[in-house]
Amino acid sequence: MLSRRAFLGAGASTCLILSGCSAAKSGRPKLRISVTGKGEGDTRLLFKAAGIAPEGFDLAYSEFQSGHLVVEALNGGSLDYGGMSEIPPIFAAASTIQSFRQIAVAYGDVNNQVVLVPKGSKAKTIADLKGRRVGYVRATTSQYFLIRMLEEVGLSWDDITPVAMGVSDGAAAFSQGALDGWAIYGFPIQRAIATEGARILKTANGILSGNYLVSAHVDALADPDKARLIGDYLALVQKAYGWAATHQDEWATIIAQDIGVPRDYVVDQFRRKSATYELRPVTDAAIASQQQVADLFYRQKLLPRAVDVRPLWDRRFNATLPKRG
């Protein structure tokens, strides 16, 4: 399901170097980081807003549309550090390659993960999507919470016409009226509401754990110098999350400009947040949460075999991870 061809063919990764196009030019070490989506999920934007920059090393950012492509890049050796939901690593665990370890949890909002319906839709509950075309992003939270929402109303995956597509393709299909519902996350929600009159049918609050995973390549972890940079970067991210939590009005303005929607829509999303973001250490509860998700995907026959997620986790940064300011 997560082929290298899918990663390369998606064209989802574009390398952007902060502080120069080549680490060799500055003579400083470089950490290769993933960015998934725009707006609140864009660490580059957050660092710039908070006035945060690394000292003594550079950051090379690569852009992705979804977490399963981040896992592909980690497994392919083109990233040192990446973020994703609990789901993409599960598919990697069911394959023969897991070239990464999950080193921390980025705990945050789950009300920005929703099922949208188009303007004029008569659907009032998830049950009203029976027999309808519903878009989702394969091997991501959107597939997981859609399955769970269907189960809650006595429906199965076979009771809808699920349409797997990337974020940009899903946005286009939804805009053109080709979907009756769209399970999606992040900034496309506000954009669809603002520009197309879309409506949130249901959020993932109460379904998703709020755990988004921070992962690092095994070679980077094995290199003492690179592992130190990862620890330094974790501290910067935690500091940036602290700034965002205490500057919500300013942050909302910046995000609105970045994703091209009226500020009021971002303010409304912030008002509905289930949590503000913070880094948390690896715990038994976090591991159990991901295992629960893996077990559901196996029961749904979406994994070729049952998986044990415990070998994916690494607690080495627990003792040094700072509290959010």
Side-chain angles (χ1 to χ4, degrees):
M1 292 182 69
L2 301 181
S3 68
R4 186 168 179 82
R5 179 182 298 175
F7 167 62
L8 296 173
S13 174
T14 303
C15 192
L16 300 169
I17 309 296
L18 186 69
S19 304
C21 293
S22 171
K25 290 183 179 179
S26 66
R28 306 198 313 174
K30 178 179 67 176
L31 197 63
R32 300 171 300 169
I33 308 288
S34 75
V35 171
T36 305
K38 295 183 178 181
E40 193 172 17
D42 190 338
T43 312
R44 297 165 301 181
L45 188 69
L46 178 56
F47 276 22
K48 182 178 179 180
I52 292 172
E55 294 184 5
F57 64 101
D58 293 332
L59 303 176
Y61 287 106
S62 296
E63 298 177 351
F64 299 87
Q65 285 196 357
S66 62
H68 75 276
L69 294 175
V70 176
V71 170
E72 284 278 358
L74 283 166
N75 278 338
S78 60
L79 283 176
D80 300 312
Y81 178 109
M84 71 287 294
S85 75
E86 296 172 303
I87 287 87
I90 290 167
F91 287 84
S95 72
T96 57
I97 303 174
Q98 307 93 35
S99 299
F100 61 91
R101 295 295 178 266
Q102 297 160 175
I103 59 173
V105 171
Y107 181 78
D109 185 25
V110 296
N111 275 331
N112 67 345
Q113 308 231 15
V114 309
V115 172
L116 287 175
V117 291
K119 183 179 180 179
S121 171
K122 296 181 180 179
K124 295 181 179 179
T125 71
I126 294 296
D128 295 325
L129 296 179
K130 183 176 181 178
R132 302 292 185 177
R133 290 173 55 85
V134 183
Y136 70 99
V137 186
R138 190 193 307 274
T140 67
T141 48
S142 70
Q143 185 173 18
Y144 175 72
F145 70 69
L146 181 57
I147 292 170
R148 288 281 305 276
M149 288 177 182
L150 290 168
E151 287 183 340
E152 287 181 350
V153 296
L155 298 180
S156 71
W157 197 242
D158 294 334
D159 287 317
I160 63 169
T161 301
V163 184
M165 53 183 58
V167 176
S168 57
D169 289 340
F174 187 78
S175 177
Q176 294 164 7
L179 297 174
D180 301 298
W182 187 26
I184 194 57
Y185 42 77
F187 80 94
I189 300 168
Q190 285 73 46
R191 182 168 291 173
I193 293 171
T195 62
E196 299 167 20
R199 173 169 54 88
I200 294 174
L201 186 64
K202 185 176 177 62
T203 79
N205 197 4
I207 294 177
L208 295 180
S209 65
N211 293 345
Y212 304 95
L213 308 185
V214 177
S215 298
H217 194 276
V218 291
D219 290 347
L221 293 172
D223 181 334
D225 292 333
K226 191 63 70 76
R228 177 180 55 79
L229 296 185
I230 290 172
D232 291 345
Y233 185 72
L234 286 169
L236 294 178
V237 172
Q238 190 75 300
K239 183 178 179 181
Y241 283 158
W243 178 90
T246 56
H247 294 78
Q248 291 283 282
D249 287 346
E250 183 179 347
W251 187 216
T253 300
I254 293 168
I255 290 172
Q257 293 171 347
D258 183 61
I259 66 178
V261 303
R263 181 179 181 276
D264 288 348
Y265 287 86
V266 180
V267 170
D268 179 64
Q269 181 220 333
F270 277 15
R271 180 184 58 78
R272 294 185 292 101
K273 272 186 179 183
S274 61
T276 54
Y277 284 90
E278 66 174 331
L279 290 180
R280 294 182 175 182
V282 176
T283 63
D284 290 343
I287 297 171
S289 174
Q290 189 184 30
Q291 187 64 57
Q292 180 181 15
V293 177
D295 293 344
L296 179 138
F297 272 91
Y298 177 66
R299 290 197 305 271
Q300 291 287 330
K301 297 182 173 56
L302 296 171
L303 286 175
R305 62 179 179 84
V307 300
D308 179 0
V309 303
R310 288 175 296 178
L312 296 177
W313 291 85
D314 187 321
R315 301 177 190 247
R316 74 179 65 192
F317 294 103
N318 278 11
T320 58
L321 190 66
K323 297 285 187 180
R324 192 186 74 182

